[in-house]
Amino acid sequence: VIGQVVAVGSGKGGVGKSSVVVALGRALRARGLRVGILDADLYGPDIPLMLGVTRTVPAGHVTVWQAPGLGAPRSEPVELEGMRVMSLQFLIAEGQAFAAAGPMASLMIGRLCTGIAWGDLDYLLVDLPPGTGDATQAVVQSLSIGAAVVVVTPQDVAHLDTRKLLDYFAQREVRVLGGVENMCTVTCPCCDHEFPLFPPAPQGRTIWDDGVARLVRLPFDRARFGGRGPAGGVAPDGALVDDLAARLVAELAPGG
Ligand SMILES: Nc1ncnc2c1ncn2[C@@H]1O[C@H](COP(=O)(O)OP(=O)(O)OP(=O)(O)O)[C@@H](O)[C@H]1O
Ligand SMILES: [Mg+2]
């Protein structure tokens, strides 16, 4: 039984979705909650890498669809840091491409969404690929998403592209909890002065102007981001992400 499915998406790539998913997963886990992470990014499945795991053995083939009712085995998620994780990266090697056309990609997502023996989870966090393509659509069709969180950087393009994803979520009646503003500021290593990393998106063109709630602002963290594995990996400001986790729990509580 899965309590809540929370999808993390963005219009633009590279804004920090996977980092936020891992950090949020850890924060929810630290609250004693049972957490699953579904890496729904078929072309850049980064979650395993961020948790310090990679597959080196190339796969000869990948099953994208199994006939239902034929006793098709459900795949077990991989337990990492007390979280149950599933990713295409467990099925193919790090250097191998998943070069399948749209319909095949949708089938693969379907398998990742419905063919996994998650067991009992409080939260299943879904790391979406950027944009509104086949994989994102397949996730929205296959899972009952309780809430979505979008990630943006302060850049104009990040906001413009994410508006499209928000429009898609609205069409599909996916509830949007709010947005994470990532890589807002950076602190100078020489003088500790904190300054904006990007020129701010023009007034009136941001998702905040559209009424999306800003859940948290995360600084660019040179020390703790970008590394690999549990220690050097994704751990933005612990307190900020814990606030985000608390907010998620509060808003998704029954009657919240
Ligand atoms: N707040 C931050 N401070 C420093 N580095 C960050 C921060 N957020 C993300 N990064 C780094 O930026 C890069 C992109 O982040 P990430 O992979 O999480 O983005 P993404 O939105 O999932 O990308 P994609 O669209 O390719 O899946 C990573 O190297 C990550 O470590
Ligand atoms: Mg990613």
Side-chain angles (χ1 to χ4, degrees):
V1 181
I2 298 176
Q4 289 281 358
V5 178
V6 178
V8 178
S10 73
K12 197 173 120 54
V15 294
K17 293 177 293 300
S18 304
S19 307
V20 166
V21 164
V22 169
L24 190 57
R26 286 176 175 151
L28 291 167
R29 183 77 202 103
R31 294 176 158 258
L33 295 162
R34 295 163 298 180
V35 177
I37 296 182
L38 173 60
D39 183 356
D41 194 341
L42 299 179
Y43 307 107
D46 295 331
I47 296 287
L49 212 66
M50 289 179 170
L51 289 168
V53 175
T54 189
R55 171 168 170 155
T56 51
V57 185
H61 68 275
V62 185
T63 305
V64 296
W65 185 79
Q66 287 165 313
L70 291 181
R74 301 189 98 202
S75 306
E76 294 286 331
V78 176
E79 182 115 5
L80 296 168
E81 298 184 33
M83 303 183 285
R84 296 182 205 147
V85 183
M86 191 62 209
S87 171
L88 178 65
Q89 195 63 86
F90 297 143
L91 308 180
I92 62 176
E94 192 180 319
Q96 255 181 325
F98 180 75
M104 285 303 223
S106 303
L107 284 177
M108 187 72 234
I109 290 288
R111 181 184 169 204
L112 292 178
C113 286
T114 57
I116 309 302
W118 292 108
D120 290 333
L121 293 178
D122 296 305
Y123 290 91
L124 177 62
L125 305 179
V126 185
D127 183 21
L128 292 174
T132 54
D134 296 305
T136 299
Q137 294 180 30
V139 168
V140 170
Q141 276 154 28
S142 311
L143 290 174
S144 158
I145 297 176
V149 170
V150 295
V151 181
V152 290
T153 51
Q155 297 158 291
D156 200 11
V157 280
H159 284 269
L160 289 179
D161 295 350
T162 298
R163 281 176 149 181
K164 296 182 189 296
L165 180 66
L166 291 168
D167 179 42
Y168 170 71
F169 282 152
Q171 287 174 33
R172 292 303 155 110
E173 295 179 353
V174 174
R175 173 183 174 195
V176 175
L177 216 59
V180 172
E181 191 175 28
N182 191 26
M183 306 196 226
C184 300
T185 55
V186 63
T187 302
C188 172
C190 309
C191 67
D192 271 356
H193 176 64
E194 198 181 6
F195 57 94
L197 185 58
F198 301 107
Q203 272 284 324
R205 284 164 65 99
T206 68
I207 59 170
W208 323 125
D209 295 313
D210 293 341
V212 175
R214 181 157 34 192
L215 301 173
V216 68
R217 302 184 75 223
L218 298 174
F220 183 84
D221 190 335
R222 286 185 316 123
R224 286 188 280 183
F225 262 100
R228 203 185 257 228
V234 270
D237 193 303
L240 290 174
V241 178
D242 190 53
D243 284 352
L244 178 64
R247 180 128 179 212
L248 201 85
V249 170
E251 298 220 17
L252 294 181

